Amino acid sequence: MTEAPLVAGVELGGTKCICILARGPDAIEDRVQLPTTRPEETLSAIEAVLERWRGFSALGIASFGPVSIDPHAHDYGHITSTPKPGWANQDVGERLRRFAGVPTGFHTDVVGAALAEARWGAAKGLEDIAYATVGTGIGVGLIAGGRPVDGLTHSEFGHLRPVRFPGDDWIGTCPFHGACLEGLAAGPALKARTGVSGDQWAADEPAWDMVAHALGQLLHALVLTGVPRRIVMGGGVMVGTDHLFPRVRAAMTKSLGGYVALPEVADADTFVVPPALGGNAGPLGAIVLGAQALEAQLQASFTTR
């Protein structure tokens, strides 16, 4: 069996950055965590790590967003309209590609997590999945045929406007849409609604029903894309809140109303699952992005001979 290539991966998050040198989850050679501060300070620190690791075959970058993923766009590889101070319109992907000098894959952190969970984690063996993160924000990575579902830009399912829970007219927290999914069910929304962070809510807190209802609408929408054979749900709101998964599954099933009569969807316990890779999902996803970029370059070289 051919040994997997040695790839450098960068998961750039809003508060921390994880750099990883690996061939896969069982062959991690180094892992470095850095704080995400000002762009120049953070990117220079990443470059210092990459310089120390010289000799890797490819680089993958899984970044917080929104980001530009169209390779033909003038701002490809940039973080775009983020509210994070100093990071709007910041070149990340192309800068690190030029520095590393190897084939480089670039996408969102949630797509990275989806790729990793599909290859090694809770959706292993499935090429068509969705990974939904519910934490500080809500985001979804869609994978079809083992690759990100791409087009004009990446998906923004967290900003769908859901059917509201009966009697709930709370305005939500999203500065753009108010009561979109993120404005109703992300971590900051939970705290804004009750004055207490979600990790302090009791299991019988009535507001959980409203959160589960909103997230059920998210899963409803994902099922109707026709893509995922499994949905993995991670992030700080979902992970460690065991009682939330049954409620969200039930909300999805009720919302669909039997419309998608497929056994995979009907078995909600195996269709909607927690992640298996934990904190390594994003960094390992960057490894997959790098390996895919290397594969694409090798194929292009072969076809032009």
Side-chain angles (χ1 to χ4, degrees):
M1 182 180 295
T2 304
E3 186 177 41
L6 184 62
V7 178
V10 176
E11 182 193 25
L12 179 61
T15 58
K16 68 179 183 296
C17 172
I18 297 175
C19 302
I20 190 171
L21 184 67
R23 301 181 190 276
D26 299 322
I28 297 175
E29 297 197 3
D30 200 4
R31 188 179 191 275
V32 177
Q33 182 169 313
L34 305 166
T36 302
T37 56
R38 299 185 305 275
E40 186 58 38
E41 183 177 28
T42 303
L43 294 172
S44 294
I46 294 170
E47 288 169 343
V49 174
L50 297 179
E51 180 63 33
R52 180 161 57 85
W53 288 347
R54 286 289 183 185
F56 50 85
S57 299
L59 170 65
I61 305 161
S63 175
F64 72 89
V67 295
S68 175
I69 61 166
D70 180 357
H72 304 295
H74 69 91
D75 61 350
Y76 170 68
H78 286 57
I79 294 172
T80 57
S81 57
T82 179
K84 185 170 177 61
W87 285 88
N89 304 312
Q90 176 65 50
D91 179 10
V92 173
E94 287 297 273
R95 170 174 169 164
L96 294 180
R97 180 192 63 79
R98 289 190 297 268
F99 181 85
V102 295
T104 299
F106 177 81
H107 220 295
T108 62
D109 49 1
V110 70
V111 161
L115 288 168
E117 290 288 345
R119 181 165 296 192
W120 298 300
K124 183 177 179 180
L126 299 177
E127 290 199 322
D128 313 306
I129 78 154
Y131 182 95
T133 183
V134 185
T136 304
I138 293 179
V140 173
L142 276 175
I143 305 299
R147 294 188 175 273
V149 178
D150 285 346
L152 175 64
T153 185
H154 52 81
S155 66
E156 287 285 3
F157 281 94
H159 293 273
L160 290 176
R161 298 179 185 272
V163 174
R164 297 299 300 273
F165 186 82
D168 179 27
D169 59 359
W170 185 56
I171 62 172
T173 61
C174 176
F176 296 96
H177 313 115
C180 64
L181 289 167
E182 191 167 290
L184 291 171
L190 272 58
K191 185 172 184 179
R193 184 189 281 272
T194 65
V196 179
S197 62
D199 59 354
Q200 301 299 313
W201 286 12
D204 60 356
E205 162 62 53
W208 279 125
D209 291 334
M210 301 173 194
V211 172
H213 183 268
L215 295 177
Q217 302 295 301
L218 170 62
L219 301 187
H220 177 132
L222 292 177
V223 170
L224 294 186
T225 67
V227 172
R229 300 175 186 274
R230 183 169 298 160
I231 299 173
V232 183
M233 296 191 77
V237 172
M238 296 300 305
V239 175
T241 314
D242 294 340
H243 63 84
L244 186 54
F245 269 94
R247 295 182 183 188
V248 171
R249 292 178 182 122
M252 175 195 75
T253 300
K254 181 178 180 181
S255 181
L256 287 170
Y259 181 69
V260 180
L262 293 171
E264 294 89 345
V265 178
D267 186 359
D269 288 348
T270 59
F271 185 68
V272 181
V273 300
L277 297 175
N280 273 338
L284 286 170
I287 297 298
V288 180
L289 287 168
Q292 289 184 344
L294 177 61
E295 178 187 3
Q297 179 165 303
L298 292 174
Q299 288 178 346
S301 298
F302 179 78
T303 56
T304 55
R305 289 177 184 174

